[in-house]
Amino acid sequence: MNPQFIPQQPFAVPPSQGLPPTHRMSPSPSPQGVQNMPPGISKPNYYPNKYGPPPPETSLQNPMHNSELPRSAQAQFGPPPQSQPNLGPPPMSMPNQRPMMPQHHQNGPDSSQFGPPQSQLSHPPSNKPDMMQGPPMNGPPSFKPPNQFGQAPPLNQPPPMGQPAPMNQPPPMNHPPSSMNQPPPMGQVPPMNQPPSMNQPPLVPQQQQNTFGGPPRPNQYQGQPPMGGQFPPRPGMGQPPLPSQPPLMGQPPSQFNAPPLPGQQPPLPGQHPNQFMPNQLDNQMQGLNLGGQRQYPGGPMKSPMNGDGGPHMPPPLGQQNYINGQGKSPMYPPMPGQSPMMSGPGSYPQPSYQQQAQQRRLDPDQMPSPIQVMQDDQRSRSGVFCTNQKGLVPPLVTTKFVVQDQGNASPRYVRSTMYNVPITQDLMKQTSVPFGLVISPMARTVDQEYTPPIVNFGELGPVRCIRCKAYMCPYMQFIDSGRRFQCLFCKAATEVPAEYFQHLDHTGQRMDRYERPELVLGTYEFMATKDYCRNNTFPKPPAVIFVIDVSYNNVKSGLVNLLCAQMKDIIKNLPIDQGMEKSNMKVGFITYNSTVHFYNIKGTLAAPQMMVVGDVQDMFMPLLDGFLCTPEESEAVIDALMQQIPLMFGDTRETETVLLPAILAGLEALKASDCTGKLLVFHSSLPIAEAPGKLKNRDDRKLLGTEKERSVLTPQTNAYNQLGQDCVGAGCCVDLFLFNNAYIDIATIGQVARYTGGEVYKYTYFQADIDGDRFITDVITNISKPIAFDAIMRVRTSTGIRPTDFYGHFFMSNTTDMELAAIDCDKAVAVEIKHDDKLTEEEGVYVQIALLYTSCSGQRRLRIINLSLKTCSQMADLYRSCDLDTLINFFAKQAVYKLLENNPKAVKDNIVSRAAQILANYRKNCASPSSAGQLILPECMKLMPLYVNCLLRSDALSGGSDMTVDDRSFVMQAVMIMDVPNSVTYFYPRLVPLHDIQPDQEPIEVPAPIRCSVEKMVDHGVYLLENGIHMLLWIGLGVNPDFCQQVFGVPSPIQIDVDKVTLPKLDNPLAHAIHSVIDQIRVERHRCMRLTLVRQREKLEPIFKHFLVEDRGLDSSPSYVDFLCHMHKEIRTILS
């Protein structure tokens, strides 16, 4: 018997033909033959040299990119590490001035360190060989300093402003020589505006490696026009605080409150206001002693720029100075337990002298930027991603890449929080990083990627391990001349069926492996036999049933008319299976108010027939034949029905509706037809009619955010949970489309969608003329996307670990199988995996996800998704190979699940302490010794403080009384089904400047996003913000009149009608480009987002600012910088 697979398509590339895998590594030239080595072995600049002896070929170049952290093994904030005394000044960030220093690749050195030295803490210098040393007197340095940003100036050259003079130079004229070794008196601040010394011409260092080229013009970017809502300082407030005055308590640090002075210009469109600052701080974050610029006695003072206090500008109002994460005035005595003077590792090599730091607020531009991280990943990892290595960390979800499947599943189907698994449970517990998988088994592939091929073994069925029942995959090893295979999951040996036998070649591989997808690919499908079907019979094609609420609210809003008018177009979009020419799914129709109505739409009828079930207490299916039909055979009858429904119910006065009996009617209809499928339920109001599933109004938004919020976020009755379980048992998925004008209790009725793998769509205050297009787009997207019906998913792992916890929309009747009445390409589930034994370093970890499902054409199939990961006994290896986006998605699903059972404060505190534990363990066990004042982050987790803050601030976790109870339940359910690409944008929204768009470019691309902060926005800008659920268009009051006229059809932003939910269709290139960008963004998301126009300084602006997650929240939630300080404090508490 000759097994075949369909469709015939290329499915594997032998290694000789395949493209080399892309690593997260530098673009610098690499030695031949290292492409397939495990990361970190052959590429010394891929991971830091602190995990081994320093590699000879790497030396330091200024790694910063646009004031951002280098891509390196760890991002360090704080004073640089200790150097040896009397070897010259520590290197600072210099604009690549030394031709004798070999260039380092763009991924930067091992650590990124931010900030001037601490002036408050002190411990004696440590002379460690792995710490920073000055270069030898002749020639380039012989090894790479691990923890510095830049390079030392040549010894015969004066240092740039803000850097120390070398030790053998006399102090400048305006400093008495004794000042070199004496700290200034307590409480005294160094003079603010020292002239440069006579014998040291000040050099103004350029901003590090600005990628936009060109130095700034004179007077460019010194200030920024005030944003909406900000005013110039009142007289008397613009004076600098006296040195002995602490700043006022509770004032948020603000940098941009100053109006522009004459001669200053706002940034050009698309430029960050802080780019190209000639005198900007090289490094600011002094260990979150978020002090000021680095000042050395004897060196000229840096003149502050960018609105942070200096001779040319008043200081920002309410400026706050940070020391170790706490607001302090410059002259506060040291905190308890701190020495008054800091000369820990990395501070200037004279223990006797105190570094003076002009205290100022921490610049958010110096914090790790998600935009920069995404751009760097796009630059270094776009193109082909080859899955031929165990434990290869995939590119970020935001990066455009094409997967070449060579034995591990595409990251579109499964992502792991870690790609290097600790071998023991103790090691795992110590790091606090959870081992989780986020699985999206039906995810779409992109162009140039093959869909998983289908393998048909006929009557034989899929070949499986005799013990653990894992399916044949590339990880099985053939032994005994090919007569048996050993399972890598459970180590058992299984006889190869005679029909499947094949000889082995000299390497022990089967001769036919490149003809068999299951032996070379990470993802493929098997055709299932009858043993895998309900009642051992092959299934019928699934059906879609439209269940329409025809009560007064839905008729009055225009929903019933709209849906019936568009039904013909909707059912043309039923999904078509792989290899098929048309869809063979059937459709059916039910309407309901306080009773339930079925329709016979058999193609042979002259007109549709209606049957009413008045007894909603005991629902049954009144007709068997003619309820479900294909759209082709019954086209005329369906058209007639769609004309009759609006007429029949046009004058209805029914306001009390049922819901549970209507869903039960759809379930009974599917059962009677003996097929699986899904119900699209279009419902308008709280079901208060006397019937099963009747609910009471318990709306109380004041409880949100309190300990009692569970009482309104958990179901008020178990009826819908039970109904959901019954639906799963019959393979019936339920999607709820809700058109509520008041409380509808999504927490309760949404359970039926949760258990069946469905989802909720919500259109509050629906009006057909305003929301109609968006709603119809959602319905068409919903029924046309790739989907699996009547599915069971199981995750198998190799010995030593096992899946323990499962999060998402499904039902589990046992501890291993997730039952999903349906799962589509936009849904994901999360699985936590824990140790039950010790692993070995040689073996690795193997995961196989099997999804048994019915395709939309009625074929029973198995989709197999395989992933192999590495194992490690060193913590540093784990921290090199984590996927932060997956980690945040996992934490979010886990937190939403826990919110329904626990105190919300405890859930959020747990997230913060877990994140702090993760980072503290890295600091303690993996980072090189350095001052406690530094915040040191692993490279792959340098955005963790930002993303954890975004997670805590999100509506799903923290939505309070400013939102409705239904809105809160809706976003919680949305987070539970989000895949990783959608969760990244949900927690850190995409903010796109539209005023920079180039309409003459083809094709029109979505402009590069900017950071989510009001400080990055300008008054003359137009910005689109989207997070997958909301889409807001912010219009500045200073918008160019030409732009306004071309896009909005009016000359001034004041005349724009902000109540509209669409932009006018104008015939000019700019308008076409803007429409194109909005359409592209909508296509990327599985919900059609409503466009809300927000004019600067008007009533909706606070809602827009709520999504600017790097700024302080309107509910006093901390800004990115504040939360970073808080995290640093937590980490220090753990370490001490």
Side-chain angles (χ1 to χ4, degrees):
M1 197 206 103
N2 191 10
Q4 70 202 60
F5 70 91
I6 45 181
Q8 292 295 328
Q9 61 186 32
F11 58 82
V13 181
S16 57
Q17 303 160 17
L19 286 152
T22 50
H23 289 323
R24 204 182 285 267
M25 58 172 60
S26 79
S28 58
S30 58
Q32 288 300 310
V34 296
Q35 284 91 339
N36 292 337
M37 291 291 287
I41 293 177
S42 58
K43 294 296 291 178
N45 48 11
Y46 178 15
Y47 288 126
N49 61 8
K50 50 178 66 122
Y51 305 106
E57 84 217 37
T58 55
S59 81
L60 202 60
Q61 172 202 343
N62 173 7
M64 288 196 52
H65 224 19
N66 283 352
S67 315
E68 295 305 344
L69 282 157
R71 301 181 43 81
S72 57
Q74 56 189 45
Q76 289 192 16
F77 303 79
Q82 176 84 6
S83 28
Q84 296 274 358
N86 301 326
L87 286 176
M92 299 276 293
S93 290
M94 285 280 296
N96 309 327
Q97 287 176 351
R98 299 187 61 186
M100 66 181 190
M101 298 279 279
Q103 293 285 308
H104 192 285
H105 68 100
Q106 76 172 27
N107 287 359
D110 281 52
S111 59
S112 33
Q113 261 203 26
F114 276 41
Q118 262 175 296
S119 54
Q120 306 286 35
L121 280 154
S122 176
H123 23 124
S126 64
N127 300 327
K128 292 207 170 86
D130 62 334
M131 302 315 277
M132 174 57 218
Q133 296 186 356
M137 300 304 277
N138 301 314
S142 57
F143 73 94
K144 158 182 161 187
N147 290 339
Q148 277 291 351
F149 257 172
Q151 303 164 359
L155 293 173
N156 57 355
Q157 186 179 321
M161 294 216 295
Q163 288 192 204
M167 298 301 298
N168 53 4
Q169 275 189 248
M173 300 296 280
N174 58 342
H175 268 282
S178 63
S179 72
M180 285 296 277
N181 295 326
Q182 276 185 341
M186 199 56 175
Q188 185 175 316
V189 176
M192 293 298 289
N193 301 307
Q194 295 175 334
S197 68
M198 313 234 307
N199 55 357
Q200 278 184 261
L203 295 178
V204 182
Q206 299 168 7
Q207 183 66 5
Q208 293 91 344
Q209 270 184 285
N210 74 60
T211 46
F212 294 88
R217 300 193 304 276
N219 289 331
Q220 193 180 356
Y221 315 128
Q222 291 179 356
Q224 177 162 336
M227 294 302 301
Q230 294 182 356
F231 302 97
R234 297 194 298 280
M237 289 187 70
Q239 276 67 36
L242 297 174
S244 59
Q245 263 188 325
L248 296 177
M249 292 298 287
Q251 288 186 345
S254 168
Q255 200 173 347
F256 289 96
N257 285 346
L261 295 178
Q264 292 176 2
Q265 300 174 15
L268 297 180
Q271 285 174 352
H272 296 275
N274 302 6
Q275 263 162 10
F276 320 136
M277 280 307 164
N279 292 12
Q280 183 148 7
L281 276 185
D282 297 320
N283 267 321
Q284 277 187 331
M285 181 151 170
Q286 147 117 349
L288 295 194
N289 333 338
L290 307 170
Q293 300 159 336
R294 186 171 200 148
Q295 304 296 350
Y296 295 93
M301 217 49 164
K302 275 193 181 183
S303 72
M305 302 257 322
N306 195 21
D308 39 52
H312 61 291
M313 298 199 82
L317 301 183
Q319 174 166 312
Q320 188 147 339
N321 300 300
Y322 286 89
I323 293 179
N324 306 325
Q326 302 188 357
K328 298 285 262 180
S329 83
M331 55 82 61
Y332 269 36
M335 289 168 57
Q338 290 179 3
S339 340
M341 202 169 71
M342 174 68 205
S343 72
S347 54
Y348 196 70
Q350 288 170 283
S352 62
Y353 104 12
Q354 172 172 345
Q355 315 242 5
Q356 302 151 357
Q358 174 197 333
Q359 301 291 338
R360 72 195 277 294
R361 72 164 284 209
L362 176 59
D363 182 359
D365 281 352
Q366 299 295 339
M367 303 301 93
S369 154
I371 305 301
Q372 188 66 44
V373 168
M374 290 172 194
Q375 286 171 352
D376 288 348
D377 199 75
Q378 176 66 41
R379 248 195 314 276
S380 60
R381 306 215 57 197
S382 58
V384 175
F385 174 66
C386 201
T387 68
N388 60 354
Q389 285 182 45
K390 193 192 288 187
L392 191 59
V393 183
L396 298 181
V397 287
T398 48
T399 297
K400 292 183 171 66
F401 61 95
V402 174
V403 177
Q404 195 175 72
D405 187 339
Q406 290 193 9
N408 283 299
S410 160
R412 302 190 204 289
Y413 298 123
V414 59
R415 278 180 176 264
S416 175
T417 56
M418 57 177 71
Y419 286 81
N420 218 331
V421 182
I423 56 175
T424 63
Q425 191 171 2
D426 293 345
L427 196 57
M428 190 87 145
K429 273 188 182 157
Q430 217 180 328
T431 63
S432 293
V433 183
F435 180 11
L437 301 173
V438 176
I439 305 162
S440 188
M442 299 303 293
R444 294 179 202 262
T445 51
V446 300
D447 294 342
Q448 303 169 356
E449 289 179 5
Y450 296 117
T451 50
I454 303 168
V455 181
N456 189 353
F457 285 126
E459 291 295 312
L460 173 65
V463 178
R464 304 178 68 175
C465 168
I466 195 166
R467 183 193 291 167
C468 69
K469 300 288 186 250
Y471 294 87
M472 178 54 65
C473 68
Y475 315 141
M476 302 299 188
Q477 291 175 344
F478 287 87
I479 54 176
D480 200 6
S481 304
R483 285 189 286 273
R484 292 188 304 153
F485 66 87
Q486 187 177 26
C487 171
L488 239 61
F489 295 93
C490 70
K491 302 291 182 283
T494 305
E495 293 287 329
V496 173
E499 305 96 314
Y500 193 62
F501 175 77
Q502 177 60 268
H503 295 286
L504 307 185
D505 64 14
H506 65 286
T507 62
Q509 303 281 6
R510 282 173 60 117
M511 307 282 272
D512 63 349
R513 71 187 282 241
Y514 289 117
E515 294 155 33
R516 291 194 172 279
E518 74 276 13
L519 299 181
V520 287
L521 291 189
T523 310
Y524 44 87
E525 297 199 337
F526 290 125
M527 292 291 277
T529 57
K530 286 183 180 175
D531 303 339
Y532 294 87
C533 305
R534 281 176 192 273
N535 308 322
N536 285 359
T537 51
F538 286 118
K540 294 179 182 172
V544 174
I545 299 178
F546 295 87
V547 185
I548 307 167
D549 169 0
V550 288
S551 64
Y552 176 74
N553 282 346
N554 270 357
V555 172
K556 183 179 166 228
S557 70
L559 170 78
V560 174
N561 263 317
L562 173 72
L563 187 58
C564 292
Q566 298 289 330
M567 187 59 73
K568 194 169 184 174
D569 291 334
I570 290 170
I571 57 183
K572 277 181 189 162
N573 288 283
L574 289 168
I576 298 169
D577 202 3
Q578 198 173 327
M580 301 278 177
E581 289 178 7
K582 64 187 180 90
S583 177
N584 54 0
M585 289 180 73
K586 295 184 172 184
V587 295
F589 299 93
I590 292 173
T591 57
Y592 67 99
N593 37 40
S594 57
T595 56
V596 179
H597 329 119
F598 295 82
Y599 298 90
N600 185 341
I601 52 169
K602 200 169 182 180
T604 52
L605 295 175
Q609 295 172 343
M610 174 178 175
M611 294 177 191
V612 179
V613 176
D615 182 6
V616 289
Q617 300 291 338
D618 183 18
M619 186 49 58
F620 66 98
M621 176 68 188
L623 73 151
L624 278 180
D625 193 28
F627 177 73
L628 292 178
C629 301
T630 62
E632 291 81 34
E633 65 177 290
S634 303
E635 186 175 10
V637 186
I638 291 173
D639 287 352
L641 175 64
M642 290 303 119
Q643 287 167 4
Q644 285 175 22
I645 287 175
L647 298 174
M648 277 192 289
F649 299 102
D651 300 326
T652 185
R653 286 288 171 265
E654 289 263 16
T655 54
E656 293 195 358
T657 61
V658 298
L659 174 60
L660 190 144
I663 297 172
L664 195 55
L667 171 62
E668 292 297 330
L670 287 176
K671 278 184 179 172
S673 308
D674 196 26
C675 72
T676 58
K678 81 159 145 185
L679 312 181
L680 303 187
V681 181
F682 304 92
H683 185 71
S684 69
S685 51
L686 192 70
I688 52 172
E690 280 304 325
K694 175 184 175 179
L695 300 177
K696 60 180 191 291
N697 189 333
R698 52 169 186 164
D699 185 21
D700 188 357
R701 64 161 70 179
K702 291 197 293 294
L703 296 178
L704 294 180
T706 70
E707 289 189 15
K708 294 182 180 171
E709 69 175 16
R710 265 174 298 168
S711 60
V712 289
L713 295 177
T714 48
Q716 59 171 286
T717 165
N718 279 333
Y720 290 89
N721 301 45
Q722 189 56 52
L723 176 62
Q725 292 179 30
D726 295 344
C727 287
V728 172
C732 164
C733 173
V734 181
D735 282 339
L736 294 175
F737 292 78
L738 304 178
F739 307 86
N740 58 319
N741 296 336
Y743 179 68
I744 197 170
D745 202 353
I746 291 175
T748 302
I749 64 177
Q751 294 301 312
V752 70
R754 179 169 86 86
Y755 276 105
T756 62
E759 71 180 297
V760 175
Y761 296 79
K762 188 164 76 66
Y763 310 86
T764 306
Y765 306 123
F766 177 85
Q767 289 175 269
D769 51 340
I770 294 174
D771 303 300
D773 290 347
R774 176 168 73 104
F775 160 63
I776 295 299
T777 304
D778 278 342
V779 177
I780 290 174
T781 305
N782 179 294
I783 69 167
S784 63
K785 57 190 172 188
I787 186 167
F789 291 98
D790 191 19
I792 296 179
M793 182 155 68
R794 180 180 283 198
V795 179
R796 290 181 174 84
T797 56
S798 49
T799 48
I801 52 168
R802 63 189 174 86
T804 56
D805 297 287
F806 303 83
Y807 306 101
H809 279 195
F810 48 78
F811 172 65
M812 292 187 81
S813 55
N814 57 31
T815 58
T816 55
D817 297 337
M818 290 171 270
E819 297 175 39
L820 305 114
I823 183 167
D824 62 47
C825 58
D826 294 314
K827 294 192 179 66
V829 301
V831 179
E832 181 162 19
I833 294 176
K834 291 185 176 164
H835 285 70
D836 57 9
D837 202 353
K838 195 174 177 198
L839 305 171
T840 62
E841 267 194 276
E842 303 73 49
E843 284 287 326
V845 160
Y846 297 92
V847 178
Q848 185 177 81
I849 298 136
L851 181 78
L852 172 64
Y853 72 99
T854 301
S855 75
C856 56
S857 66
Q859 285 183 352
R860 198 71 175 152
R861 294 191 203 139
L862 283 146
R863 178 166 287 199
I864 309 297
I865 296 167
N866 300 296
L867 183 65
S868 63
L869 307 171
K870 288 192 290 203
T871 45
C872 61
S873 57
Q874 299 297 320
M875 257 189 224
D877 294 332
L878 179 147
Y879 281 107
R880 287 191 190 123
S881 61
C882 290
D883 183 339
L884 181 60
D885 294 336
T886 307
L887 196 58
I888 295 297
N889 181 295
F890 178 83
F891 277 154
K893 286 180 166 53
Q894 194 177 52
V896 167
Y897 188 81
K898 286 181 176 173
L899 277 175
L900 302 176
E901 297 171 3
N902 299 291
N903 175 336
K905 183 175 184 304
V907 173
K908 288 186 273 197
D909 288 349
N910 181 44
I911 294 173
V912 176
S913 64
R914 187 148 190 190
Q917 200 75 44
I918 290 171
L919 298 176
N921 274 305
Y922 176 78
R923 170 65 187 265
K924 183 175 168 188
N925 299 298
C926 307
S928 47
S930 54
S931 129
Q934 292 173 312
L935 174 59
I936 302 181
L937 303 171
E939 168 61 15
C940 65
M941 291 187 185
K942 65 184 179 190
L943 294 175
M944 183 180 257
L946 171 62
Y947 283 172
V948 166
N949 191 31
C950 294
L951 173 58
L952 296 175
R953 288 175 57 149
S954 68
D955 290 341
L957 265 67
S958 289
S961 53
D962 53 343
M963 68 193 304
T964 66
V965 174
D966 281 332
D967 283 338
R968 176 73 188 279
S969 292
F970 171 72
V971 289
M972 286 171 73
Q973 288 214 9
V975 166
M976 279 305 261
I977 58 171
M978 268 180 196
D979 57 4
V980 181
N982 279 297
S983 66
V984 168
T985 312
Y986 177 70
F987 293 115
Y988 191 89
R990 175 157 59 164
L991 181 61
V992 177
L994 293 182
H995 50 277
D996 295 341
I997 212 159
Q998 302 296 325
D1000 44 1
Q1001 281 182 354
E1002 282 296 329
I1004 297 291
E1005 291 198 351
V1006 179
I1010 61 172
R1011 294 178 73 163
C1012 276
S1013 168
V1014 77
E1015 293 184 356
K1016 297 293 174 209
M1017 297 170 62
V1018 291
D1019 282 11
H1020 61 265
V1022 175
Y1023 298 90
L1024 187 71
L1025 182 144
E1026 64 96 11
N1027 71 350
I1029 289 176
H1030 304 281
M1031 182 186 268
L1032 304 157
L1033 187 70
W1034 184 90
I1035 303 153
L1037 292 175
V1039 172
N1040 182 327
D1042 290 348
F1043 183 97
C1044 222
Q1045 186 69 52
Q1046 288 182 60
V1047 176
F1048 301 100
V1050 291
S1052 156
I1054 298 296
Q1055 296 166 279
I1056 296 170
D1057 182 358
V1058 290
D1059 295 329
K1060 288 265 193 299
V1061 294
T1062 54
L1063 298 180
K1065 292 265 195 301
L1066 301 174
D1067 192 14
N1068 64 69
L1070 184 59
H1072 292 320
I1074 300 283
H1075 280 278
S1076 166
V1077 166
I1078 291 172
D1079 292 344
Q1080 283 179 55
I1081 288 175
R1082 279 184 168 151
V1083 166
E1084 288 173 25
R1085 309 280 168 236
H1086 73 288
R1087 284 188 174 85
C1088 183
M1089 297 170 285
R1090 173 179 178 160
L1091 183 67
T1092 305
L1093 303 187
V1094 178
R1095 190 159 40 223
Q1096 185 180 5
R1097 297 189 192 138
E1098 290 194 4
K1099 62 180 185 294
L1100 288 177
E1101 194 176 46
I1103 294 171
F1104 179 84
K1105 286 184 172 176
H1106 170 70
F1107 295 107
L1108 297 178
V1109 290
E1110 290 199 26
D1111 297 335
R1112 193 174 173 80
L1114 305 168
D1115 54 355
S1116 301
S1117 49
S1119 68
Y1120 177 17
V1121 168
D1122 296 341
F1123 188 74
L1124 203 55
C1125 299
H1126 175 65
M1127 282 293 284
H1128 186 226
K1129 203 168 144 196
E1130 293 280 318
I1131 291 165
R1132 294 185 63 171
T1133 307
I1134 293 169
L1135 293 176
S1136 61

